[in-house]
Amino acid sequence: MVTGMHHISMKCGTKEEFDKAKDFYLNMLGFSVKREWPEGIMIDCGSVLLEIFCNGEGIKTKGAIRHAAYATDDVDGIIARVRSAGYKVFIEPNDIVIPSVPECRARMAFCIGPLGEEIEFFQEKD
């Protein structure tokens, strides 16, 4: 029986990419190290782990998974930090309403992460 999601995995090809990714997720976003080994790291993102390997070429194409969305209580603040660190913001912070039942009101924005990944910051509103 599946009980939930354990981790999302990414791969980078160089030590520089690996160090940049670690810095982004640990220092920029404030996540913490769950475990680390010579070729990789698992970063605790709250409800799921992010696994980053540095043992081969990372494939930089979009597949079926479009982006990772991280919950936040301050979309505008995290986007300001990301932008000031030189990362590309490709959807500015904006308010949305998902016409679901019940409807979901949220504030969201997107950036490109250190390995070329699309990242959404999502803040549900009551």
Side-chain angles (χ1 to χ4, degrees):
M1 177 174 180
V2 175
T3 60
M5 181 171 275
H6 184 267
H7 70 271
I8 298 168
S9 180
M10 295 191 304
K11 186 175 268 202
C12 51
T14 67
K15 173 111 171 66
E16 292 76 27
E17 283 182 330
F18 185 68
D19 291 342
K20 187 174 181 181
K22 280 177 60 174
D23 181 65
F24 182 84
Y25 287 101
L26 297 176
N27 298 320
M28 177 72 56
L29 301 187
F31 296 137
S32 61
V33 175
K34 175 77 173 188
R35 57 184 60 96
E36 194 165 5
W37 60 101
E39 299 86 27
I41 188 170
M42 279 194 172
I43 297 171
D44 188 344
C45 300
S47 58
V48 70
L49 297 173
L50 178 62
E51 177 183 61
I52 305 172
F53 284 103
C54 183
N55 60 356
E57 284 301 313
I59 298 171
K60 308 289 194 235
T61 61
K62 272 189 204 176
I65 297 175
R66 302 292 299 169
H67 63 269
Y70 294 99
T72 180
D73 59 2
D74 185 8
V75 169
D76 297 82
I78 194 66
I79 284 295
R81 289 187 63 203
V82 164
R83 180 180 282 117
S84 71
Y87 290 95
K88 178 182 176 184
V89 174
F90 69 95
I91 296 180
E92 294 292 330
N94 67 93
D95 294 318
I96 62 168
V97 177
I98 299 171
S100 55
V101 177
E103 78 178 13
C104 176
R105 296 182 178 277
R107 186 150 182 86
M108 52 76 76
F110 280 82
C111 74
I112 301 294
L115 300 177
E117 70 275 23
E118 290 187 4
I119 299 170
E120 179 181 11
F121 298 104
F122 196 86
Q123 179 180 3
E124 285 198 44
K125 305 264 184 168
D126 293 329

XYZ file of all heavy atoms in Angstrom, residues 31-102:
551
model
N 15.575 25.023 3.505
C 15.347 23.620 3.831
C 16.570 23.069 4.563
O 17.594 23.724 4.658
C 15.070 22.811 2.566
C 13.805 23.212 1.838
C 13.789 23.324 0.458
C 12.635 23.478 2.521
C 12.630 23.681 -0.222
C 11.466 23.840 1.856
C 11.468 23.942 0.476
N 16.463 21.837 5.084
C 17.573 21.269 5.857
C 18.006 19.916 5.275
O 17.251 19.251 4.566
C 17.154 21.085 7.320
O 16.054 20.194 7.410
N 19.234 19.536 5.608
C 19.786 18.259 5.152
C 19.186 17.129 5.977
O 19.209 17.169 7.204
C 21.328 18.241 5.292
C 21.888 16.864 4.932
C 21.967 19.325 4.448
N 18.650 16.138 5.298
C 18.154 14.926 5.968
C 19.276 13.897 6.052
O 19.506 13.293 7.088
C 16.960 14.361 5.188
C 16.430 13.056 5.706
C 15.605 13.245 6.939
C 14.947 11.942 7.348
N 13.999 12.121 8.408
N 19.987 13.689 4.924
C 21.149 12.798 4.882
C 21.993 13.195 3.680
O 21.496 13.771 2.726
C 20.732 11.336 4.827
C 19.844 10.948 3.675
C 19.372 9.488 3.733
N 18.612 9.171 4.912
C 17.280 9.176 4.998
N 16.561 9.475 3.951
N 16.677 8.859 6.115
N 23.273 12.864 3.774
C 24.197 13.217 2.702
C 25.227 12.113 2.538
O 25.600 11.471 3.510
C 24.888 14.551 3.038
C 25.600 15.193 1.889
C 25.964 16.660 2.151
O 25.742 17.161 3.277
O 26.471 17.277 1.219
N 25.672 11.874 1.303
C 26.687 10.869 0.991
C 27.544 11.450 -0.133
O 27.209 12.497 -0.677
C 26.044 9.531 0.648
C 25.109 9.529 -0.530
C 25.388 9.105 -1.797
C 23.743 9.959 -0.555
N 24.291 9.242 -2.608
C 23.259 9.776 -1.869
C 22.875 10.494 0.392
C 21.963 10.097 -2.257
C 21.584 10.820 0.010
C 21.141 10.617 -1.296
N 28.657 10.813 -0.484
C 29.579 11.421 -1.452
C 28.959 11.823 -2.798
O 29.337 12.830 -3.362
C 30.661 10.354 -1.639
C 30.673 9.620 -0.348
C 29.232 9.583 0.095
N 27.998 11.061 -3.305
C 27.403 11.376 -4.609
C 26.045 12.038 -4.515
O 25.387 12.227 -5.538
C 27.238 10.105 -5.460
C 28.516 9.385 -5.787
C 28.910 8.410 -4.677
O 28.025 7.920 -3.955
O 30.117 8.175 -4.516
N 25.568 12.356 -3.314
C 24.230 12.920 -3.252
C 23.825 13.460 -1.904
O 24.571 13.409 -0.928
N 22.608 13.970 -1.889
C 22.048 14.574 -0.688
C 20.531 14.390 -0.724
O 19.929 14.354 -1.801
C 22.418 16.075 -0.615
C 22.023 16.691 0.726
C 21.830 16.859 -1.788
C 22.571 18.098 0.941
N 19.924 14.248 0.434
C 18.477 14.310 0.574
C 18.169 15.519 1.436
O 18.673 15.642 2.559
C 17.902 13.041 1.196
C 17.733 11.925 0.229
S 16.693 10.614 0.908
C 16.504 9.609 -0.553
N 17.354 16.397 0.888
C 16.997 17.652 1.545
C 15.555 17.556 2.013
O 14.662 17.181 1.237
C 17.209 18.826 0.576
C 18.702 18.917 0.212
C 16.689 20.121 1.165
C 19.023 19.889 -0.894
N 15.320 17.900 3.270
C 13.985 17.843 3.862
C 13.219 19.108 3.483
O 13.568 20.202 3.909
C 14.105 17.715 5.383
C 12.771 17.456 6.049
O 11.721 17.657 5.419
O 12.791 17.049 7.228
N 12.174 18.925 2.669
C 11.356 20.051 2.216
C 10.036 20.136 2.983
O 9.086 20.762 2.527
C 11.086 19.914 0.718
S 12.565 19.898 -0.302
N 9.953 19.500 4.116
C 8.748 19.550 4.935
C 7.905 18.309 4.782
O 7.861 17.471 5.666
N 7.232 18.161 3.640
C 6.359 17.004 3.441
C 6.925 16.008 2.434
O 6.323 14.971 2.200
C 4.979 17.476 2.969
O 5.106 18.217 1.777
N 8.065 16.305 1.864
C 8.713 15.418 0.895
C 10.207 15.701 0.902
O 10.636 16.800 1.280
C 8.104 15.609 -0.521
C 8.473 16.952 -1.109
C 8.484 14.481 -1.463
N 11.003 14.721 0.530
C 12.453 14.922 0.426
C 12.816 15.235 -1.022
O 12.179 14.753 -1.954
C 13.200 13.668 0.867
C 13.022 13.242 2.319
C 13.682 11.891 2.557
C 13.581 14.284 3.264
N 13.852 16.030 -1.195
C 14.423 16.309 -2.501
C 15.788 15.642 -2.536
O 16.647 15.928 -1.700
C 14.564 17.814 -2.718
C 15.193 18.249 -4.031
C 14.341 17.797 -5.212
C 15.367 19.760 -4.037
N 15.967 14.718 -3.471
C 17.215 13.977 -3.607
C 17.966 14.549 -4.802
O 17.413 14.646 -5.901
C 16.878 12.508 -3.832
C 18.057 11.614 -4.060
C 17.599 10.201 -4.354
O 16.876 9.993 -5.363
O 17.937 9.319 -3.563
N 19.216 14.948 -4.588
C 20.035 15.480 -5.668
C 21.289 14.630 -5.772
O 22.027 14.482 -4.806
C 20.409 16.961 -5.430
C 19.153 17.805 -5.204
C 21.215 17.492 -6.617
C 19.436 19.235 -4.784
N 21.502 14.072 -6.969
C 22.686 13.272 -7.241
C 23.692 14.092 -8.040
O 23.314 14.915 -8.872
C 22.337 12.039 -8.089
C 21.667 10.944 -7.326
C 20.311 10.738 -7.441
C 22.409 10.108 -6.509
C 19.685 9.718 -6.750
C 21.796 9.077 -5.815
C 20.430 8.886 -5.937
N 24.957 13.822 -7.814
C 26.027 14.425 -8.604
C 26.951 13.303 -9.064
O 28.083 13.187 -8.624
C 26.788 15.461 -7.797
S 28.063 16.298 -8.754
N 26.422 12.457 -9.942
C 27.223 11.320 -10.393
C 27.013 11.017 -11.869
O 27.109 9.893 -12.297
C 26.921 10.076 -9.553
C 25.473 9.655 -9.639
O 24.650 10.313 -10.252
N 25.155 8.543 -9.010
N 26.690 12.031 -12.638
C 26.494 11.826 -14.068
C 25.787 13.001 -14.682
O 25.468 13.966 -13.990
N 25.565 12.933 -15.955
C 24.922 14.034 -16.653
C 23.450 14.139 -16.265
O 22.720 13.169 -16.278
C 25.031 13.853 -18.171
C 26.410 14.183 -18.694
C 26.836 15.607 -18.401
O 26.063 16.562 -18.624
O 27.973 15.776 -17.913
N 23.042 15.342 -15.918
C 21.630 15.613 -15.696
C 20.980 15.862 -17.046
O 21.577 16.468 -17.928
N 19.781 15.369 -17.239
C 19.070 15.560 -18.502
C 18.217 16.807 -18.358
O 17.382 16.892 -17.459
C 18.210 14.334 -18.836
C 19.119 13.114 -19.009
C 17.381 14.582 -20.095
C 18.371 11.812 -19.125
N 18.427 17.780 -19.217
C 17.776 19.080 -19.088
C 16.600 19.230 -20.052
O 16.525 20.141 -20.838
C 18.790 20.195 -19.352
C 20.052 20.114 -18.544
C 19.795 20.430 -17.097
C 21.078 20.678 -16.385
N 21.494 20.052 -15.301
N 15.663 18.291 -20.018
C 14.465 18.381 -20.844
C 13.249 18.210 -19.964
O 13.318 17.599 -18.900
C 14.442 17.303 -21.942
O 14.441 16.020 -21.326
C 15.625 17.427 -22.866
N 12.130 18.761 -20.422
C 10.886 18.589 -19.686
C 10.281 17.246 -20.032
O 10.250 16.850 -21.182
C 9.883 19.671 -20.070
C 9.990 20.896 -19.266
C 8.824 21.789 -19.591
C 9.207 23.205 -19.261
N 8.187 24.150 -19.615
N 9.812 16.580 -19.014
C 9.121 15.319 -19.214
C 7.698 15.449 -18.719
O 7.102 16.513 -18.774
N 7.170 14.383 -18.178
C 5.797 14.382 -17.702
C 5.623 15.230 -16.446
O 4.556 15.789 -16.218
C 5.346 12.952 -17.424
N 6.649 15.332 -15.635
C 6.574 16.181 -14.439
C 6.938 17.592 -14.866
O 8.048 17.853 -15.317
C 7.503 15.677 -13.323
C 7.055 14.286 -12.884
C 7.518 16.660 -12.151
C 7.958 13.630 -11.881
N 6.004 18.507 -14.734
C 6.176 19.870 -15.232
C 6.955 20.764 -14.271
O 7.740 21.590 -14.701
C 4.809 20.506 -15.499
C 3.954 19.737 -16.478
C 4.479 19.757 -17.870
N 4.533 21.129 -18.336
C 5.136 21.507 -19.436
N 5.745 20.632 -20.188
N 5.148 22.758 -19.796
N 6.687 20.645 -12.972
C 7.370 21.501 -11.998
C 7.173 20.940 -10.595
O 6.348 20.071 -10.388
C 6.844 22.950 -12.070
C 5.393 23.091 -11.715
N 4.394 23.030 -12.649
C 4.769 23.276 -10.519
C 3.221 23.172 -12.051
N 3.431 23.322 -10.754
N 7.958 21.474 -9.665
C 7.753 21.192 -8.241
C 7.158 22.447 -7.624
O 7.614 23.559 -7.907
C 9.075 20.844 -7.564
N 6.148 22.278 -6.794
C 5.503 23.411 -6.137
C 5.786 23.345 -4.641
O 5.551 22.314 -4.015
C 3.995 23.399 -6.394
N 6.284 24.443 -4.110
C 6.596 24.523 -2.684
C 5.613 25.468 -2.012
O 5.375 26.580 -2.493
C 8.037 25.009 -2.475
C 9.042 24.006 -2.987
C 9.634 24.158 -4.233
C 9.355 22.873 -2.243
C 10.532 23.217 -4.718
C 10.246 21.927 -2.732
C 10.830 22.110 -3.959
O 11.705 21.173 -4.437
N 5.045 25.018 -0.890
C 4.126 25.843 -0.118
C 4.921 26.925 0.598
O 6.026 26.689 1.087
C 3.374 24.974 0.897
N 4.351 28.105 0.657
C 4.977 29.220 1.351
C 3.897 30.108 1.938
O 2.749 30.069 1.499
C 5.885 30.044 0.412
O 6.478 31.113 1.145
C 5.121 30.615 -0.762
N 4.261 30.909 2.905
C 3.325 31.903 3.436
C 3.708 33.303 2.957
O 3.139 34.295 3.401
C 3.246 31.841 4.963
C 4.584 32.068 5.630
O 5.586 32.316 4.932
O 4.627 31.991 6.868
N 4.679 33.401 2.027
C 5.117 34.699 1.514
C 5.694 34.556 0.100
O 6.907 34.569 -0.083
C 6.158 35.306 2.465
C 6.576 36.711 2.084
O 5.968 37.314 1.159
O 7.534 37.218 2.693
N 4.819 34.410 -0.886
C 5.250 34.266 -2.279
C 6.108 35.448 -2.703
O 7.181 35.290 -3.281
C 4.027 34.115 -3.222
C 4.436 34.237 -4.683
C 3.320 32.796 -2.971
N 5.642 36.658 -2.393
C 6.360 37.856 -2.835
C 7.754 37.941 -2.215
O 8.718 38.304 -2.902
C 5.542 39.104 -2.513
C 4.227 39.114 -3.266
O 3.265 38.464 -2.799
O 4.166 39.745 -4.333
N 7.870 37.596 -0.945
C 9.166 37.646 -0.269
C 10.157 36.648 -0.829
O 11.327 36.990 -1.064
N 9.716 35.407 -1.073
C 10.651 34.405 -1.587
C 11.031 34.727 -3.022
O 12.187 34.551 -3.426
C 10.110 32.956 -1.438
C 11.220 31.928 -1.666
C 8.954 32.679 -2.349
C 12.316 31.923 -0.659
N 10.110 35.270 -3.817
C 10.443 35.652 -5.194
C 11.437 36.806 -5.190
O 12.366 36.839 -6.005
C 9.168 35.982 -6.006
C 8.463 34.688 -6.396
C 9.485 36.827 -7.235
C 9.210 33.766 -7.345
N 11.309 37.736 -4.264
C 12.290 38.835 -4.167
C 13.681 38.284 -3.860
O 14.677 38.720 -4.448
C 11.845 39.838 -3.104
N 13.772 37.309 -2.945
C 15.067 36.692 -2.613
C 15.648 35.948 -3.799
O 16.842 36.039 -4.097
C 14.920 35.732 -1.435
C 14.678 36.430 -0.112
C 14.709 35.467 1.045
N 16.040 34.882 1.137
C 16.296 33.727 1.718
N 15.341 33.027 2.267
N 17.522 33.264 1.771
N 14.808 35.177 -4.483
C 15.246 34.398 -5.642
C 15.748 35.337 -6.738
O 16.812 35.125 -7.312
C 14.074 33.509 -6.144
C 14.322 32.975 -7.526
C 13.815 32.367 -5.163
N 14.976 36.387 -7.018
C 15.362 37.343 -8.065
C 16.673 38.051 -7.710
O 17.555 38.196 -8.550
C 14.257 38.365 -8.278
C 14.606 39.390 -9.352
C 13.515 40.411 -9.587
N 12.470 39.813 -10.388
C 11.222 39.631 -9.978
N 10.844 39.996 -8.779
N 10.349 39.084 -10.766
N 16.812 38.469 -6.450
C 18.029 39.189 -6.051
C 19.260 38.287 -6.110
O 20.380 38.786 -6.240
C 17.873 39.811 -4.665
O 17.858 38.816 -3.662
N 19.058 36.973 -6.048
C 20.178 36.035 -6.178
C 20.487 35.720 -7.644
O 21.387 34.947 -7.936
C 19.866 34.746 -5.420
N 19.730 36.317 -8.576
C 20.024 36.159 -9.993
C 19.255 35.072 -10.714
O 19.528 34.789 -11.876
N 18.282 34.457 -10.052
C 17.488 33.422 -10.704
C 16.353 34.060 -11.507
O 15.804 35.088 -11.113
C 16.922 32.441 -9.670
C 17.997 31.587 -9.058
C 18.599 31.933 -7.864
C 18.442 30.447 -9.717
C 19.614 31.161 -7.317
C 19.451 29.665 -9.183
C 20.037 30.033 -7.983
O 21.035 29.263 -7.463
N 16.018 33.425 -12.640
C 14.981 33.943 -13.532
C 13.593 33.665 -12.964
O 13.264 32.516 -12.644
C 15.110 33.302 -14.911
C 14.044 33.753 -15.886
C 14.175 33.051 -17.223
C 13.039 33.472 -18.129
N 13.067 32.750 -19.397
N 12.793 34.721 -12.837
C 11.386 34.597 -12.467
C 10.605 34.689 -13.774
O 10.717 35.678 -14.495
C 10.966 35.718 -11.491
C 9.469 35.678 -11.227
C 11.759 35.612 -10.192
N 9.860 33.628 -14.113
C 9.162 33.664 -15.394
C 7.648 33.795 -15.274
O 6.975 34.055 -16.266
C 9.559 32.492 -16.306
C 9.101 31.142 -15.850
C 7.930 30.585 -16.323
C 9.882 30.412 -14.960
C 7.523 29.327 -15.921
C 9.489 29.150 -14.559
C 8.307 28.608 -15.034
N 7.119 33.666 -14.077
C 5.735 34.068 -13.796
C 5.783 34.857 -12.494
O 6.165 34.328 -11.447
C 4.770 32.866 -13.684
C 4.686 32.124 -15.022
C 3.378 33.348 -13.250
C 3.771 30.914 -15.022
N 5.438 36.126 -12.594
C 5.468 37.009 -11.441
C 4.391 36.621 -10.427
O 3.387 35.987 -10.792
C 5.243 38.456 -11.894
C 6.348 39.011 -12.762
C 7.664 39.194 -12.006
O 7.644 39.436 -10.784
O 8.725 39.095 -12.652
N 4.570 37.011 -9.160
C 3.532 36.730 -8.165
C 2.177 37.272 -8.618
O 2.075 38.407 -9.093
C 4.030 37.479 -6.929
C 5.518 37.523 -7.093
C 5.724 37.700 -8.569
N 1.172 36.415 -8.519
C -0.182 36.820 -8.897
C -1.185 35.969 -8.150
O -0.877 34.878 -7.679
C -0.372 36.724 -10.418
C -0.333 35.299 -10.929
O -1.374 34.659 -11.063
N 0.865 34.782 -11.213
N -2.391 36.504 -8.054
C -3.487 35.805 -7.394
C -4.265 34.996 -8.427
O -4.524 35.481 -9.533
C -4.413 36.793 -6.690
C -3.718 37.495 -5.538
O -2.987 36.829 -4.791
O -3.890 38.727 -5.396
N -4.624 33.776 -8.047
C -5.387 32.902 -8.936
C -6.568 32.313 -8.177
O -6.580 32.304 -6.939
C -4.523 31.750 -9.507
C -4.011 30.844 -8.369
C -3.380 32.288 -10.356
C -3.394 29.527 -8.827
N -7.521 31.825 -8.931
C -8.636 31.052 -8.379
C -8.744 29.794 -9.231
O -8.976 29.872 -10.442
C -9.964 31.830 -8.401
C -11.096 30.948 -7.883
C -9.857 33.117 -7.582
N -8.521 28.642 -8.612
C -8.718 27.371 -9.303
C -10.204 27.039 -9.168
O -10.702 26.936 -8.040
C -7.838 26.261 -8.691
C -6.359 26.642 -8.840
C -8.137 24.916 -9.351
C -5.404 25.732 -8.091
N -10.918 26.881 -10.290
C -12.367 26.677 -10.218
C -12.733 25.249 -9.835
O -13.488 24.567 -10.523
C -12.834 27.036 -11.629
C -11.673 26.695 -12.502
C -10.443 26.981 -11.667
N -12.177 24.808 -8.736
C -12.449 23.465 -8.232
C -13.625 23.532 -7.267
O -14.160 24.599 -6.989
C -11.199 22.930 -7.521
O -10.783 23.845 -6.514
N -14.030 22.392 -6.749
C -15.079 22.341 -5.733
C -14.477 21.710 -4.493
O -14.131 20.529 -4.520
C -16.296 21.522 -6.220
C -17.347 21.424 -5.122
C -16.874 22.128 -7.485
N -14.254 22.458 -3.412
C -14.456 23.907 -3.349
C -13.354 24.639 -4.107
O -12.267 24.090 -4.320
C -14.393 24.196 -1.844
C -13.492 23.137 -1.299
C -13.738 21.915 -2.153
